[in-house]
Amino acid sequence: VLFVDAKRGGGIHSINRAVLKAGSHVNERRARRGLSSRPLRVGIIVYPNVGKSALINKILGRKRAKTANTPGITRSLQWIRVRTDDAKKNRGKEFELLDSPGIIPANMVDQSDALLLA
């Protein structure tokens, strides 16, 4: 569990480190099989209107994903590549984030709660 403040940028570097550490075995395994390395793929999938796109923009350090104070800005899935400082030398140091519209669980007990989330 990582605690992040997407508005002010607190904890952003811990996300980068955690993603690269958790996915390091993927490219090691590809190398053992004789395959070239590729960027890791990470999905950000949570409830609607919680700041997924704002978090991605903070990780990138620039505005790449559309954000606004109104719900429904992110309408489709989009992959956004994140390069760290070492990415030019080592493809294992970059990853792709999936920006998605919010997901409401189908098995939510009270559908009035689901309506409030939408």
Side-chain angles (χ1 to χ4, degrees), residues 10-61:
I12 297 299
H13 295 294
S14 62
I15 290 177
N16 289 347
R17 284 192 305 270
V19 166
L20 294 174
K21 182 179 177 187
S24 64
H25 73 282
V26 173
N27 281 327
E28 290 171 4
R29 193 168 147 200
R30 288 178 64 86
R32 282 195 307 268
R33 292 181 176 179
L35 301 171
S36 61
S37 64
R38 64 175 175 83
L40 301 169
R41 299 190 110 187
V42 180
I44 298 179
I45 302 171
V46 294
Y47 288 107
N49 308 322
V50 295
K52 295 176 291 295
S53 299
L55 175 65
I56 289 173
N57 288 339
K58 275 295 182 188
I59 290 171
L60 286 172

Side-chain angles (χ1 to χ4, degrees), residues 7-118:
K7 197 174 236 183
R8 292 178 190 84
I12 297 299
H13 295 294
S14 62
I15 290 177
N16 289 347
R17 284 192 305 270
V19 166
L20 294 174
K21 182 179 177 187
S24 64
H25 73 282
V26 173
N27 281 327
E28 290 171 4
R29 193 168 147 200
R30 288 178 64 86
R32 282 195 307 268
R33 292 181 176 179
L35 301 171
S36 61
S37 64
R38 64 175 175 83
L40 301 169
R41 299 190 110 187
V42 180
I44 298 179
I45 302 171
V46 294
Y47 288 107
N49 308 322
V50 295
K52 295 176 291 295
S53 299
L55 175 65
I56 289 173
N57 288 339
K58 275 295 182 188
I59 290 171
L60 286 172
R62 62 186 173 94
K63 187 171 179 169
R64 171 70 167 73
K66 282 194 229 177
T67 59
N69 258 346
T70 58
I73 297 298
T74 305
R75 295 185 180 270
S76 63
L77 302 175
Q78 63 177 337
W79 287 102
I80 298 174
R81 183 163 293 184
V82 177
R83 289 189 173 96
T84 61
D85 297 335
D86 301 335
K88 291 179 182 170
K89 296 181 280 186
N90 185 357
R91 283 194 67 129
K93 296 291 183 183
E94 64 184 7
F95 56 95
E96 295 177 349
L97 292 173
L98 176 64
D99 190 14
S100 65
I103 305 296
I104 299 174
N107 62 351
M108 190 170 261
V109 176
D110 188 5
Q111 287 301 308
S112 63
D113 291 340
L115 227 128
L116 290 173
L117 287 171

